[in-house]
Amino acid sequence: MQLVEFLAPHFHFVSDPTAWVALLTLVVLEIVLGIDNLIFISILTNKLPEAQRARARRLGISAALVMRLILLATISIIVQLTAPVFTAFGHGFSWRDLILIAGGLFLVWKATKEIHHTVDPQDHQDTMVGGTLQLSLAGAIFQILLLDLVFSIDSIITAVGMTDEIAIMYIAVIVAVSVMMLAATPLANFIARNPSIVMLALGFLLMIGMTLIADGMGYHVPKGYIYAAMGFSALVEGLNMLARNRKKQGSGGGH
């Protein structure tokens, strides 16, 4: 009974139709924002031995959920991260900006390393993780956690901008991360089965990294443009895959 009394003030929005619209919008937005995180997790965990991949994905996404919930619990501190701490080049840099720039640089570095390794597979001296074969479960989780932190802060600040209801934020984050958990293995398997998708996904990560850097520098790129470009690229690659499959079927039938 005491628990119900404690929670009641946080769920008064259930009778407000506009609050439900905000919840639905935020859930969709959080899922879309989670795609970036999911692509990175899928590519990185595919570097692990097959027996460890599913566990690494579960741990990585669970860590993302825990991190987001902790950040929500310290929402007053997170909001203050947007306050400028110093000014350079005519732009006031906040802690959020610095985190986005660091995360963007990390993504650009990782994607560039892996693109290099994919284009020149003979060069095993300089791979995505300093030796692809040596990537451990702990190493993968550590790298996923680094990106989880960047994406989580961006996700939570987006949530704060969408609604004032803390309960709506919690529900949206939990639903979005649950969808990520369900989609992680199918996405990773799809990437593993289609090598050409890896290069496309790495291109996405490169673009996302540059967008994070630009955002941190004060040049905001509307997310709609980024996801429209990703969607168009994915459509073209889908048509290429369909054409390749038709050719295979045609050549198979010819024999």
Side-chain angles (χ1 to χ4, degrees):
M1 199 66 181
Q2 289 181 337
L3 180 62
V4 173
E5 289 174 359
F6 173 75
L7 293 175
H10 298 289
F11 285 88
H12 63 83
F13 70 86
V14 294
S15 59
D16 183 2
T18 58
W20 285 100
V21 172
L23 174 59
L24 183 61
T25 306
L26 189 54
V27 166
V28 172
L29 196 58
E30 291 291 327
I31 290 171
V32 172
L33 288 172
I35 291 171
D36 312 347
N37 210 347
L38 206 51
I39 291 172
F40 179 80
I41 289 172
S42 298
I43 290 177
L44 193 60
T45 54
N46 279 347
K47 292 283 178 185
L48 292 166
E50 194 166 347
Q52 295 182 340
R53 292 176 188 174
R55 185 182 172 205
R57 283 191 289 270
R58 283 196 301 271
L59 286 172
I61 296 171
S62 298
L65 174 60
V66 171
M67 204 169 289
R68 280 164 169 78
L69 295 179
I70 290 172
L71 290 174
L72 276 173
T74 57
I75 200 79
S76 58
I77 298 173
I78 299 303
V79 171
Q80 290 172 12
L81 290 179
T82 57
V85 288
F86 69 90
T87 302
F89 310 109
H91 173 63
F93 288 87
S94 65
W95 282 112
R96 172 186 176 272
D97 294 333
L98 297 178
I99 291 167
L100 289 181
I101 291 170
L105 289 170
F106 178 66
L107 263 188
V108 168
W109 176 74
K110 300 296 282 183
T112 303
K113 286 280 189 182
E114 185 59 12
I115 287 171
H116 167 70
H117 176 60
T118 305
V119 171
D120 187 12
Q122 300 305 315
D123 183 9
H124 292 291
Q125 302 304 311
D126 190 23
T127 64
M128 180 179 180
V129 286
T132 304
L133 296 177
Q134 281 72 48
L135 179 62
S136 66
L137 179 62
I141 295 299
F142 176 71
Q143 292 175 66
I144 289 169
L145 282 174
L146 285 179
L147 260 295
D148 276 349
L149 177 63
V150 176
F151 288 128
S152 292
I153 287 176
D154 209 25
S155 165
I156 297 308
I157 288 175
T158 299
V160 172
M162 282 287 298
T163 180
D164 295 326
E165 295 287 350
I166 193 75
I168 289 178
M169 296 182 204
Y170 272 106
I171 294 168
V173 164
I174 292 168
V175 170
V177 175
S178 300
V179 170
M180 283 174 63
M181 189 74 80
L182 292 172
T185 297
L187 178 63
N189 291 341
F190 180 72
I191 289 173
R193 285 196 308 269
N194 299 278
S196 62
I197 292 289
V198 173
M199 191 61 76
L200 181 66
L202 289 169
F204 288 166
L205 290 180
L206 206 55
M207 181 169 64
I208 292 161
M210 292 303 298
T211 304
L212 290 175
I213 294 169
D215 202 353
M217 296 292 290
Y219 301 99
H220 179 65
V221 181
K223 289 285 197 297
Y225 293 150
I226 302 301
Y227 293 120
M230 289 170 66
F232 180 74
S233 303
L235 176 63
V236 171
E237 181 59 28
L239 292 172
N240 281 331
M241 289 169 61
L242 185 61
R244 285 196 296 269
N245 289 336
R246 289 287 171 87
K247 282 181 181 177
K248 283 180 186 177
Q249 290 172 2
S251 61
H255 294 296

